[in-house]
Amino acid sequence: MYKRLSAVMFPLTALLLIGALVWGYQENQEKNSILIKAENQYQRAFHDLSYHVDRLHGELGNTLAVNSASNGMHRKGLVNVWRMTSEAQNEINQLPLTLLPFSKTEEFLSKISNFSYKAGIRDFTKKPLTDGELSNLKALYKNSGEISKDLQEVQNKVIGNRLRWMDVETALATENKAEDNTIIDGFKTV
């Protein structure tokens, strides 16, 4: 009886074990594929954010450097600033930073966006930039330079230390206080 039962159960158990191992391996491969895709999307969004903030800083500088009589160039520069600000805001929303105090950067980008939109849509021949608006533009230029520098420092640390955004996502999801999470610390600084 035992011989007969083991002759049926042993192959069945071995087949089930092999099936479970194959299924587990496929699930693991799928999970890794999804993690790699998410990591790539986070990396792209962060590097695009850094690039657009740097370009935003440059465009603000170009707008400031234009002759005050060149109203068409002021308008073009402010419209470009508004467009780049929208792109940077979109990229911030793609990063796993929902639990981080990132509202100040978003507020800064919102201020730049509002200012550049309101100033960019009006007719500069009738109402050119005022001294107050120029000083506001200078302050925005200075702040964007600082943010761009901070983002580049975080970017260098991320690349240098081979940090992964999925680690940030995991740390935020599990609410573990990582002692050396450069990405989280860097964004808190920004």
Side-chain angles (χ1 to χ4, degrees):
M1 175 82 172
Y2 176 74
K3 224 178 193 185
R4 210 180 209 185
L5 186 62
S6 64
V8 171
M9 292 303 287
F10 181 74
L12 184 62
T13 306
L15 185 63
L16 288 174
L17 180 63
I18 291 171
L21 289 173
V22 168
W23 177 79
Y25 178 76
Q26 287 174 339
E27 288 295 313
N28 188 40
Q29 290 297 99
E30 256 182 60
K31 180 190 81 147
N32 287 339
S33 174
I34 290 170
L35 289 175
I36 288 170
K37 184 177 179 181
E39 179 67 25
N40 289 342
Q41 288 175 341
Y42 289 149
Q43 289 286 345
R44 180 198 46 78
F46 175 69
H47 293 295
D48 285 350
L49 172 66
S50 180
Y51 171 74
H52 284 114
V53 169
D54 190 44
R55 282 200 50 215
L56 177 68
H57 176 67
E59 193 64 40
L60 283 169
N62 291 343
T63 304
L64 280 171
V66 171
N67 186 345
S68 61
S70 180
N71 295 326
M73 292 306 290
H74 278 142
R75 170 180 263 157
K76 182 181 176 186
L78 289 170
V79 168
N80 283 338
V81 165
W82 177 61
R83 181 182 50 79
M84 285 182 229
T85 303
S86 296
E87 290 172 359
Q89 287 172 323
N90 181 40
E91 286 140 7
I92 284 176
N93 293 332
Q94 294 177 28
L95 295 173
L97 302 168
T98 54
L99 300 177
L100 291 180
F102 212 71
S103 59
K104 289 185 180 183
T105 304
E106 287 181 303
E107 182 181 325
F108 172 73
L109 289 173
S110 179
K111 283 181 184 178
I112 291 177
S113 180
N114 289 337
F115 172 76
S116 61
Y117 178 75
K118 287 177 184 173
I121 62 169
R122 74 174 187 235
D123 186 3
F124 282 112
T125 57
K126 295 179 182 172
K127 190 176 179 188
L129 288 175
T130 64
D131 291 337
E133 288 173 328
L134 283 173
S135 66
N136 188 15
L137 197 58
K138 288 177 184 176
L140 292 173
Y141 172 74
K142 181 181 178 241
N143 291 341
S144 69
E146 292 170 3
I147 289 176
S148 178
K149 181 181 161 226
D150 289 342
L151 281 173
Q152 287 173 359
E153 286 176 10
V154 172
Q155 189 175 27
N156 289 336
K157 287 179 183 178
V158 167
I159 291 170
N161 295 335
R162 297 180 184 208
L163 299 174
R164 295 177 7 171
W165 284 95
M166 292 311 297
D167 296 339
V168 174
E169 182 82 8
T170 304
L172 290 173
T174 59
E175 296 182 20
N176 287 342
K177 300 297 180 197
E179 293 178 18
D180 185 31
N181 201 329
T182 306
I183 297 174
I184 292 176
D185 297 341
F187 272 109
K188 285 181 180 176
T189 301
V190 173

